[in-house]
Amino acid sequence: MIALTTRRFLQTAGLLIAGVVLSACGKKEPPVAAAPAASAAPAPAPAKVYMVGTDAAYAPFESQNEKAEIVGFDIDVVNAVAKKAGMEVKFVNTPWEGIINTLQQGDRDLLVSSITITDERKQSMDFSSPYFDAQQLIAVKENSKVSKFDDLKKLKVGVQTGTTGDEVVTKLQGKNSTNIKRFESTPLALKELEARGVDAVVADNGVVINYLANNTGAKFKSVSDKAFQPEQYGIAVKKGNTELLAKLNKGLADIKADGTYDQLYTKYFGAPPAKVAASPAPAASK
Ligand code: ARG
């Protein structure tokens, strides 16, 4: 077959080579060449695990159960958000004092810890859209005469260091007051009230109400006051981490839209959150 052209030769050779490769593949042993080829392809990047910092001594928002698992409303919210956003998250118990620094240091990617969004805090971290409405609430012994916030002016008051509760009491009593007893956690402040080491504790309403309900033996009552400003919790990220913030905000919007948020709220607080009237307020004059 002298008439075999170069092209034809190449085609035939190509078929032969292909045949060899195919038969090699047909054998039980994988071709040796397959291993380097596979590892030469870029390995899929392992899914990032987002480290979530939380001070887990703040039931019902974040606390540790008997199995030392971190549980609570905040945890469920972030898990639901993460699911929507396709993010993997890991919760890490993180002391409240210094929790903000863990963002700066890169030890935590986000914080969920009933953190009230404040202008001052916005200087050092970025917040998601608000996910919970809160307010300060006073806890006192059942027989206490305290009936309003102003009554705490000259009393010994327990707070968790660096919380908004600490802020309002410091504002009331003055920053040099020696009557403010600061604790590293809110439950410690409440224990001190039980032991009568302080006359009152000021903390977030949800936590005070939860403590009263679960510690009836402590003989506490709560005292509310309209003087307390409304507060809103946000999920915090390192300042400038707009990419993560966008994911969280999208996830929050998604769980609010599909009813997951209301379901979780009801699970922890007995009823869905009160809806702000969508229709304009009625005219004042009539
Ligand atoms: N909402 C209050 C604040 O932002 C108290 C939050 C305390 N959170 C906690 N997990 N200990 O200051």
Side-chain angles (χ1 to χ4, degrees):
M1 291 277 275
I2 307 156
L4 196 68
T5 58
T6 311
R7 169 189 273 188
R8 176 116 189 122
F9 171 75
L10 287 175
Q11 280 174 350
T12 312
L15 281 172
L16 280 171
I17 291 165
V20 169
V21 172
L22 279 172
S23 66
C25 289
K27 285 186 196 155
K28 277 223 179 94
E29 300 280 320
V32 186
S39 69
K48 178 175 169 60
V49 179
Y50 289 83
M51 294 296 169
V52 188
T54 186
D55 171 26
Y58 217 63
F61 299 96
E62 44 266 338
S63 61
Q64 276 184 297
N65 66 14
E66 321 77 47
K67 288 185 246 158
E69 296 157 337
I70 300 176
V71 296
F73 175 77
D74 281 2
I75 310 309
D76 284 1
V77 166
V78 167
N79 272 327
V81 165
K83 200 170 161 198
K84 291 280 183 200
M87 291 164 53
E88 204 178 315
V89 290
K90 184 177 178 351
F91 295 91
V92 189
N93 199 359
T94 309
W96 177 254
E97 273 193 89
I99 201 167
I100 298 168
N101 290 333
T102 65
L103 284 180
Q104 265 115 24
Q105 289 152 357
D107 295 337
R108 306 286 182 268
D109 298 297
L110 57 141
L111 305 176
V112 70
S113 204
S114 310
I115 307 174
T116 300
I117 304 169
T118 69
D119 286 340
E120 197 193 333
R121 289 173 179 168
K122 278 188 201 160
Q123 313 280 310
S124 46
M125 53 190 162
D126 285 341
F127 285 101
S128 70
S129 41
Y131 69 88
F132 193 84
D133 291 332
Q135 198 162 37
Q136 294 306 303
L137 186 62
I138 303 163
V140 287
K141 280 282 193 178
E142 258 168 24
N143 58 359
S144 167
K145 293 200 170 61
V146 169
S147 67
K148 56 185 185 306
F149 184 46
D150 210 52
D151 293 343
L152 303 186
K153 217 159 192 163
K154 297 252 140 58
L155 298 181
K156 280 207 185 89
V157 184
V159 295
Q160 183 179 6
T161 312
T163 56
T164 44
D166 185 354
E167 276 173 35
V168 294
V169 176
T170 303
K171 210 169 156 198
L172 178 77
Q173 296 199 350
K175 65 174 189 297
N176 297 321
S177 168
T178 52
N179 273 332
I180 306 171
K181 306 290 172 215
R182 297 186 172 86
F183 296 86
E184 85 188 42
S185 81
T186 297
L188 282 177
L190 290 159
K191 281 270 165 263
E192 190 68 3
L193 176 62
E194 209 173 327
R196 298 185 184 279
V198 291
D199 304 303
V201 166
V202 178
D204 293 5
N205 52 351
V207 172
V208 169
I209 290 165
N210 184 265
Y211 192 90
L212 263 62
N214 291 301
N215 297 273
T216 45
K219 303 214 177 306
F220 287 170
K221 67 178 177 189
S222 63
V223 176
S224 58
D225 193 316
K226 289 203 179 67
F228 294 129
Q229 294 299 309
E231 299 183 22
Q232 290 186 306
Y233 298 164
I235 304 169
V237 303
K238 186 179 180 175
K239 207 159 179 44
N241 194 350
T242 48
E243 195 190 325
L244 178 53
L245 208 57
K247 281 188 194 175
L248 296 173
N249 281 336
K250 168 88 169 47
L252 275 173
D254 286 350
I255 67 164
K256 282 185 182 171
D258 77 356
T260 306
Y261 178 87
D262 280 5
Q263 224 173 300
L264 293 176
Y265 197 103
T266 307
K267 171 179 166 191
Y268 285 91
F269 306 104
K275 291 270 178 294
V276 180
S279 50
S285 63
K286 206 172 182 190

